[in-house]
Short mmCIF file of all heavy atoms in Angstrom, two decimals:
data_model
loop_
_atom_site.label_atom_id
_atom_site.label_comp_id
_atom_site.label_asym_id
_atom_site.label_seq_id
_atom_site.Cartn_x
_atom_site.Cartn_y
_atom_site.Cartn_z
N PHE B 91 55.83 -10.34 -22.89
CA PHE B 91 55.49 -10.61 -21.50
C PHE B 91 54.01 -9.96 -21.20
O PHE B 91 53.35 -10.59 -20.37
CB PHE B 91 56.43 -10.11 -20.57
CG PHE B 91 57.66 -10.93 -20.40
CD1 PHE B 91 58.91 -10.52 -19.85
CD2 PHE B 91 57.72 -12.26 -20.99
CE1 PHE B 91 60.04 -11.26 -19.81
CE2 PHE B 91 58.96 -12.99 -20.97
CZ PHE B 91 60.03 -12.60 -20.33
N GLU B 92 53.79 -8.80 -21.68
CA GLU B 92 52.50 -8.20 -21.35
C GLU B 92 51.39 -9.05 -21.83
O GLU B 92 50.36 -9.05 -21.22
CB GLU B 92 52.48 -6.86 -22.18
CG GLU B 92 52.80 -5.66 -21.47
CD GLU B 92 52.00 -5.53 -20.12
OE1 GLU B 92 50.80 -5.72 -20.21
OE2 GLU B 92 52.68 -5.11 -19.09
N PHE B 93 51.63 -9.82 -22.83
CA PHE B 93 50.70 -10.71 -23.37
C PHE B 93 50.28 -11.81 -22.39
O PHE B 93 49.10 -12.43 -22.44
CB PHE B 93 51.07 -11.41 -24.75
CG PHE B 93 49.95 -11.74 -25.55
CD1 PHE B 93 49.12 -10.87 -26.17
CD2 PHE B 93 49.63 -13.10 -25.73
CE1 PHE B 93 48.08 -11.31 -27.04
CE2 PHE B 93 48.59 -13.56 -26.46
CZ PHE B 93 47.76 -12.61 -27.17
N PHE B 94 51.34 -12.12 -21.59
CA PHE B 94 50.94 -13.15 -20.44
C PHE B 94 49.74 -12.76 -19.63
O PHE B 94 49.08 -13.63 -19.16
CB PHE B 94 52.23 -13.34 -19.61
CG PHE B 94 53.22 -14.29 -19.97
CD1 PHE B 94 54.60 -14.05 -20.05
CD2 PHE B 94 52.76 -15.63 -20.24
CE1 PHE B 94 55.47 -14.95 -20.46
CE2 PHE B 94 53.66 -16.61 -20.67
CZ PHE B 94 55.02 -16.31 -20.72
N PHE B 95 49.63 -11.49 -19.43
CA PHE B 95 48.57 -11.09 -18.60
C PHE B 95 47.24 -11.26 -19.22
O PHE B 95 46.27 -11.44 -18.48
CB PHE B 95 48.88 -9.51 -18.15
CG PHE B 95 49.90 -9.43 -17.18
CD1 PHE B 95 51.16 -9.22 -17.54
CD2 PHE B 95 49.66 -9.65 -15.85
CE1 PHE B 95 52.26 -9.15 -16.63
CE2 PHE B 95 50.78 -9.63 -14.86
CZ PHE B 95 51.95 -9.40 -15.37
N ALA B 96 47.18 -11.30 -20.64
CA ALA B 96 45.93 -11.57 -21.12
C ALA B 96 45.61 -13.21 -21.06
O ALA B 96 44.61 -13.55 -20.82
CB ALA B 96 45.93 -11.33 -22.76
N ILE B 97 46.73 -13.90 -21.12
CA ILE B 97 46.63 -15.32 -20.91
C ILE B 97 46.22 -15.70 -19.41
O ILE B 97 45.31 -16.55 -19.22
CB ILE B 97 47.97 -16.03 -21.30
CG1 ILE B 97 48.20 -15.82 -22.72
CG2 ILE B 97 47.92 -17.49 -20.84
CD1 ILE B 97 49.54 -16.35 -23.22
N ILE B 98 46.83 -15.08 -18.42
CA ILE B 98 46.38 -15.37 -17.11
C ILE B 98 44.77 -14.97 -16.78
O ILE B 98 44.15 -15.49 -16.01
CB ILE B 98 47.29 -14.98 -15.95
CG1 ILE B 98 47.40 -13.39 -15.90
CG2 ILE B 98 48.66 -15.62 -16.04
CD1 ILE B 98 47.94 -12.91 -14.65
N ALA B 99 44.52 -13.92 -17.55
CA ALA B 99 43.03 -13.37 -17.43
C ALA B 99 42.12 -14.62 -17.89
O ALA B 99 41.20 -14.84 -17.22
CB ALA B 99 42.88 -12.24 -18.36
N VAL B 100 42.61 -15.34 -18.94
CA VAL B 100 41.78 -16.52 -19.45
C VAL B 100 41.79 -17.57 -18.27
O VAL B 100 40.73 -18.15 -17.94
CB VAL B 100 42.32 -17.18 -20.69
CG1 VAL B 100 41.63 -18.38 -21.15
CG2 VAL B 100 42.32 -16.12 -21.77
N ILE B 101 42.97 -17.86 -17.79
CA ILE B 101 43.09 -18.92 -16.73
C ILE B 101 42.14 -18.67 -15.45
O ILE B 101 41.42 -19.53 -15.06
CB ILE B 101 44.59 -19.15 -16.29
CG1 ILE B 101 45.39 -19.53 -17.48
CG2 ILE B 101 44.74 -20.08 -15.07
CD1 ILE B 101 46.84 -19.61 -17.34
N LEU B 102 42.33 -17.39 -15.00
CA LEU B 102 41.60 -17.01 -13.78
C LEU B 102 40.06 -17.03 -14.03
O LEU B 102 39.33 -17.63 -13.28
CB LEU B 102 42.04 -15.58 -13.26
CG LEU B 102 43.51 -15.54 -12.84
CD1 LEU B 102 43.82 -14.09 -12.46
CD2 LEU B 102 43.78 -16.46 -11.65
N SER B 103 39.67 -16.44 -15.01
CA SER B 103 38.21 -16.21 -15.23
C SER B 103 37.51 -17.60 -15.58
O SER B 103 36.41 -17.83 -15.14
CB SER B 103 37.84 -15.21 -16.32
OG SER B 103 38.50 -15.54 -17.54
N SER B 104 38.31 -18.43 -16.35
CA SER B 104 37.77 -19.76 -16.67
C SER B 104 37.53 -20.58 -15.40
O SER B 104 36.45 -21.24 -15.29
CB SER B 104 38.78 -20.51 -17.56
OG SER B 104 38.81 -19.90 -18.72
N TYR B 105 38.51 -20.48 -14.51
CA TYR B 105 38.44 -21.15 -13.27
C TYR B 105 37.21 -20.87 -12.55
O TYR B 105 36.42 -21.72 -12.04
CB TYR B 105 39.75 -20.97 -12.45
CG TYR B 105 39.98 -21.81 -11.39
CD1 TYR B 105 40.49 -23.15 -11.53
CD2 TYR B 105 39.75 -21.52 -10.10
CE1 TYR B 105 40.63 -24.10 -10.41
CE2 TYR B 105 39.96 -22.34 -8.92
CZ TYR B 105 40.41 -23.58 -9.21
OH TYR B 105 40.63 -24.45 -8.11
N THR B 106 37.06 -19.53 -12.31
CA THR B 106 35.92 -19.07 -11.39
C THR B 106 34.59 -19.41 -12.07
O THR B 106 33.71 -19.78 -11.43
CB THR B 106 36.03 -17.51 -11.30
OG1 THR B 106 37.39 -17.13 -11.09
CG2 THR B 106 35.20 -17.01 -10.13
N SER B 107 34.55 -19.09 -13.35
CA SER B 107 33.28 -19.31 -14.10
C SER B 107 32.98 -20.77 -14.04
O SER B 107 31.73 -21.12 -13.85
CB SER B 107 33.47 -18.79 -15.58
OG SER B 107 32.28 -18.80 -16.19
#
Side-chain angles (χ1 to χ4, degrees):
Chain B
F91 284 165
E92 262 306 316
F93 203 74
F94 267 131
F95 287 92
I97 292 173
I98 63 163
V100 174
I101 296 170
L102 296 177
S103 55
S104 300
Y105 191 77
T106 321
S107 187

